[in-house]
Amino acid sequence: MARIVYVNGRYLPYAEAGVHVEDRGFQFADSVYEVCEVKSGALIDTTRHLARLDRSLAELKIAKPMSDAALRHVLAQIVRRNRVRDGLVYLQVTRGKAARDFLFPGETDPTLVALARPIDPYKVAAKAKSGIAVKTVPDPRWGRCDLKTVMLLPAALAKETAREAGAQEAWFVDEKGFVTEGASSNAWIVRPDGFVLTRPLDNRILGGVTRATLLDLLKAQGVPVEQRPFTVPEAQAAREAFVTSASATVMPVVSIDGHKVAEGRPGDLTKRLREKFHDLAEITPV
Ligand code: PDD
């Protein structure tokens, strides 16, 4: 559990940390966020996360709360103060507090919150060893999934549906039958001919930081990649499948809607990519 939380310039005990009831993040989901991996006491891919945060903020015309150097300082502080070696940092920026009105308020200071919490690396390793099951659901989300907003109700509902079906992640499927992405991850398959497939970036998916770094790794490893949408039957007939996210890095998928992927075990390429991921990621000791 997080013990110390950063809220608008103050490091507060968890129980005392809060934002205003008329914060626009609370009333309108007028807010963006980032989740960064912390591994062995270092932040992973900070530059890419901060670049994506900048883009989300700019697209929504939310003021940047502080410089990148200051944000890096807050991230490092929150990891240190919570003594997190392996886990996550969560950073959220809202448009700030204002009397409830759909229109943007004139001048408001953005709200900035950051917290860090540990994740047991052995539990994650055990999950990666067995692989996860995926349940597919129709994608009901809005047309700007490329922005990392906190409008996460469709993802929460999809994950509940997945859990009810005994699965650990949901894959959203668009109206043409193509997988868009996971509820909180990007979706990938390895075709029987060895090509790695993932959906190209568009407004239906989030440009995952892990996705970008994995594309670098695939290139460095000489693995052929095709960025194109794939269907659920294609995924079920794949040689391997996996998801990527800051919280799971490269996580094998061993079944889709109860249908085993290949032998129903994590694939060799997926395992190799998981092992090598941090060789290529940007590592910032805190
Ligand atoms: N989720 N797609 C969606 C919808 C996501 O929510 C996420 C990340 C990703 C992967 O992005 P990245 O590789 O940058 O983590 C793709 C985070 C981990 C979360 O909400 O907890």
Side-chain angles (χ1 to χ4, degrees), residues 4 10 16 38 44 75 77 83 93 108 138 179 185 211 231 251 253 265 275 284:
I4 302 290
R10 298 166 71 197
E16 289 166 31
V38 181
I44 306 301
L75 291 176
Q77 279 295 315
R83 298 188 210 288
V93 184
T108 49
V179 174
S185 58
R211 179 188 182 281
T231 62
M251 184 57 69
V253 170
R265 286 193 297 271
E275 278 163 24
T284 312

Short mmCIF file of all heavy atoms in Angstrom, two decimals, residues 4 10 16 38 44 75 77 83 93 108 138 179 185 211 231 251 253 265 275 284:
data_model
loop_
_atom_site.label_atom_id
_atom_site.label_comp_id
_atom_site.label_asym_id
_atom_site.label_seq_id
_atom_site.Cartn_x
_atom_site.Cartn_y
_atom_site.Cartn_z
N ILE A 4 2.81 7.32 1.48
CA ILE A 4 2.93 8.77 1.31
C ILE A 4 2.43 9.12 -0.09
O ILE A 4 2.79 8.45 -1.07
CB ILE A 4 4.41 9.20 1.44
CG1 ILE A 4 4.98 8.79 2.80
CG2 ILE A 4 4.58 10.69 1.19
CD1 ILE A 4 4.42 9.55 3.99
N ARG A 10 2.58 18.81 -1.84
CA ARG A 10 2.79 18.30 -0.48
C ARG A 10 2.87 16.78 -0.48
O ARG A 10 2.14 16.12 -1.22
CB ARG A 10 1.66 18.76 0.44
CG ARG A 10 1.59 20.28 0.55
CD ARG A 10 0.28 20.70 1.18
NE ARG A 10 0.22 20.37 2.59
CZ ARG A 10 -0.90 20.32 3.29
NH1 ARG A 10 -2.07 20.56 2.70
NH2 ARG A 10 -0.89 20.02 4.57
N GLU A 16 -4.55 11.07 4.79
CA GLU A 16 -4.86 12.51 4.76
C GLU A 16 -4.84 13.10 3.36
O GLU A 16 -5.12 14.28 3.17
CB GLU A 16 -3.83 13.26 5.62
CG GLU A 16 -4.02 13.00 7.09
CD GLU A 16 -2.81 13.47 7.89
OE1 GLU A 16 -2.14 14.43 7.48
OE2 GLU A 16 -2.54 12.82 8.92
N VAL A 38 8.27 0.45 -11.77
CA VAL A 38 9.48 0.61 -10.95
C VAL A 38 10.08 -0.78 -10.82
O VAL A 38 9.39 -1.73 -10.44
CB VAL A 38 9.14 1.16 -9.54
CG1 VAL A 38 10.41 1.33 -8.72
CG2 VAL A 38 8.37 2.47 -9.64
N ILE A 44 11.20 3.01 -15.10
CA ILE A 44 11.37 2.46 -16.45
C ILE A 44 10.69 3.35 -17.48
O ILE A 44 9.51 3.70 -17.32
CB ILE A 44 10.79 1.01 -16.51
CG1 ILE A 44 11.41 0.12 -15.42
CG2 ILE A 44 10.98 0.41 -17.90
CD1 ILE A 44 12.91 -0.03 -15.46
N LEU A 75 8.42 12.08 -9.09
CA LEU A 75 8.35 10.62 -9.28
C LEU A 75 9.42 9.92 -8.43
O LEU A 75 9.13 8.93 -7.74
CB LEU A 75 8.55 10.27 -10.76
CG LEU A 75 7.43 10.67 -11.72
CD1 LEU A 75 7.80 10.35 -13.16
CD2 LEU A 75 6.12 9.97 -11.35
N GLN A 77 10.96 11.08 -5.76
CA GLN A 77 10.66 11.27 -4.34
C GLN A 77 9.59 10.29 -3.85
O GLN A 77 9.70 9.72 -2.76
CB GLN A 77 10.17 12.69 -4.10
CG GLN A 77 11.27 13.72 -3.98
CD GLN A 77 12.14 13.46 -2.76
OE1 GLN A 77 11.65 13.20 -1.67
NE2 GLN A 77 13.44 13.51 -2.95
N ARG A 83 9.57 3.73 -0.28
CA ARG A 83 10.52 2.61 -0.30
C ARG A 83 10.10 1.51 -1.26
O ARG A 83 10.10 0.32 -0.90
CB ARG A 83 10.68 2.02 1.11
CG ARG A 83 11.23 2.98 2.12
CD ARG A 83 11.54 2.23 3.42
NE ARG A 83 11.40 3.07 4.59
CZ ARG A 83 12.25 4.05 4.93
NH1 ARG A 83 13.30 4.31 4.20
NH2 ARG A 83 12.03 4.77 6.01
N VAL A 93 -3.04 14.02 -13.49
CA VAL A 93 -3.21 15.47 -13.61
C VAL A 93 -4.65 15.75 -14.01
O VAL A 93 -5.15 15.16 -14.97
CB VAL A 93 -2.29 16.08 -14.70
CG1 VAL A 93 -2.42 17.60 -14.72
CG2 VAL A 93 -0.84 15.67 -14.49
N THR A 108 -7.53 27.84 -13.99
CA THR A 108 -7.48 26.97 -12.81
C THR A 108 -6.10 26.34 -12.76
O THR A 108 -5.51 26.07 -13.80
CB THR A 108 -8.51 25.82 -12.87
OG1 THR A 108 -8.40 25.18 -14.15
CG2 THR A 108 -9.92 26.28 -12.61
N PRO A 138 -17.20 -6.49 -26.70
CA PRO A 138 -17.31 -5.38 -27.66
C PRO A 138 -16.70 -4.11 -27.08
O PRO A 138 -16.77 -3.89 -25.88
CB PRO A 138 -18.83 -5.22 -27.84
CG PRO A 138 -19.43 -6.50 -27.35
CD PRO A 138 -18.51 -7.03 -26.29
N VAL A 179 -9.58 -6.93 -32.95
CA VAL A 179 -9.19 -6.62 -31.57
C VAL A 179 -8.61 -5.20 -31.57
O VAL A 179 -7.76 -4.88 -32.42
CB VAL A 179 -8.13 -7.63 -31.07
CG1 VAL A 179 -7.59 -7.24 -29.70
CG2 VAL A 179 -8.72 -9.05 -31.05
N SER A 185 -4.05 -2.84 -21.51
CA SER A 185 -2.83 -3.35 -22.14
C SER A 185 -2.98 -3.30 -23.66
O SER A 185 -4.09 -3.15 -24.16
CB SER A 185 -2.58 -4.80 -21.72
OG SER A 185 -3.70 -5.61 -22.08
N ARG A 211 4.60 -0.94 -25.53
CA ARG A 211 4.47 -1.29 -26.95
C ARG A 211 5.61 -0.68 -27.76
O ARG A 211 6.25 -1.36 -28.58
CB ARG A 211 3.10 -0.78 -27.46
CG ARG A 211 2.82 -1.03 -28.92
CD ARG A 211 1.51 -0.30 -29.32
NE ARG A 211 1.16 -0.54 -30.70
CZ ARG A 211 1.72 0.08 -31.74
NH1 ARG A 211 2.68 0.96 -31.53
NH2 ARG A 211 1.34 -0.21 -32.97
N THR A 231 -8.13 -10.39 -36.05
CA THR A 231 -9.45 -10.78 -35.53
C THR A 231 -9.29 -11.77 -34.36
O THR A 231 -8.19 -12.30 -34.15
CB THR A 231 -10.28 -11.47 -36.63
OG1 THR A 231 -9.58 -12.67 -37.01
CG2 THR A 231 -10.48 -10.56 -37.85
N MET A 251 3.29 -10.02 -21.03
CA MET A 251 2.57 -11.07 -20.30
C MET A 251 1.94 -12.07 -21.29
O MET A 251 1.11 -11.68 -22.11
CB MET A 251 1.49 -10.40 -19.44
CG MET A 251 0.70 -11.33 -18.53
SD MET A 251 1.69 -12.30 -17.37
CE MET A 251 2.29 -11.07 -16.22
N VAL A 253 -0.41 -14.68 -23.09
CA VAL A 253 -1.84 -15.02 -23.10
C VAL A 253 -1.93 -16.47 -23.57
O VAL A 253 -1.40 -16.81 -24.63
CB VAL A 253 -2.61 -14.09 -24.07
CG1 VAL A 253 -4.04 -14.58 -24.28
CG2 VAL A 253 -2.61 -12.66 -23.54
N ARG A 265 0.26 -22.87 -23.42
CA ARG A 265 1.39 -22.50 -22.55
C ARG A 265 2.05 -21.24 -23.12
O ARG A 265 1.96 -20.99 -24.32
CB ARG A 265 2.44 -23.63 -22.52
CG ARG A 265 2.04 -24.83 -21.71
CD ARG A 265 3.26 -25.73 -21.48
NE ARG A 265 3.80 -26.28 -22.74
CZ ARG A 265 3.40 -27.41 -23.29
NH1 ARG A 265 2.47 -28.13 -22.72
NH2 ARG A 265 3.93 -27.82 -24.43
N GLU A 275 12.04 -11.66 -21.03
CA GLU A 275 13.37 -11.68 -20.39
C GLU A 275 14.22 -10.50 -20.82
O GLU A 275 14.99 -9.94 -20.03
CB GLU A 275 14.10 -12.98 -20.76
CG GLU A 275 13.69 -14.15 -19.90
CD GLU A 275 14.09 -15.48 -20.56
OE1 GLU A 275 15.03 -15.49 -21.39
OE2 GLU A 275 13.43 -16.47 -20.24
N THR A 284 16.03 4.58 -15.13
CA THR A 284 16.45 5.76 -14.37
C THR A 284 16.46 5.42 -12.89
O THR A 284 15.41 5.37 -12.25
CB THR A 284 15.47 6.94 -14.61
OG1 THR A 284 15.23 7.06 -16.01
CG2 THR A 284 16.00 8.23 -14.05
#
